[in-house]
Amino acid sequence: DNGLFTGYTDGTFMPDKVINRQEIAAVAGRGAVMGGVVDQAKLEKFVMEKSDFMDKDSVPEWAANEVAWLEAEGVFAEVAGENFEPVKVVNRAEAAVIVYKTLFAE
């Protein structure tokens, strides 16, 4: 109801589907905005063109600002290497690291 998880463009939600890196980035970014960690206007200034990920062009536009901001914040340092691999499935440990580093780490 609060918009943290938005579902898919066809109106489906798929709660039993695994989550991938681009999806967790979008959720973590929205959570950071909702939690007051970052202002929406500031988050939107982060762009993939400045990313160090070798595969930055494969990050979809709908997740680009969040991925770029989270990269700048060092959130993916322990999860991704040279490549972000946006459709790679995130396991529970990686999800926990991403959420913790986004919302609680300073």
Side-chain angles (χ1 to χ4, degrees), residues 53 70-82 97-98 101:
F53 288 126
L70 291 167
E71 178 189 10
E73 292 294 308
V75 170
F76 294 116
E78 298 171 22
V79 178
E82 287 184 344
V97 167
I98 292 165
K101 290 180 82 174

Side-chain angles (χ1 to χ4, degrees), residues 28-101:
R30 284 193 293 270
V33 170
M34 289 177 185
V37 175
V38 65
D39 183 69
Q40 181 69 40
K42 180 178 180 179
L43 185 136
E44 290 173 1
K45 291 180 182 177
F46 287 83
V47 293
M48 290 307 300
E49 288 80 18
K50 295 181 180 180
S51 172
D52 289 330
F53 288 126
M54 300 298 289
D55 60 349
K56 62 186 170 192
D57 292 335
S58 64
V59 175
E61 185 177 321
W62 57 264
N65 299 113
E66 290 86 351
V67 171
W69 177 72
L70 291 167
E71 178 189 10
E73 292 294 308
V75 170
F76 294 116
E78 298 171 22
V79 178
E82 287 184 344
N83 290 304
F84 179 64
E85 300 176 271
V87 295
K88 184 175 182 179
V89 172
V90 176
N91 64 40
R92 287 181 183 193
E94 292 170 329
V97 167
I98 292 165
V99 170
Y100 177 79
K101 290 180 82 174

Side-chain angles (χ1 to χ4, degrees), residues 13-24:
F13 187 67
M14 298 186 212
D16 295 324
K17 185 177 180 242
V18 295
I19 191 166
N20 60 41
R21 288 182 176 176
Q22 62 194 6
E23 292 167 338
I24 193 86

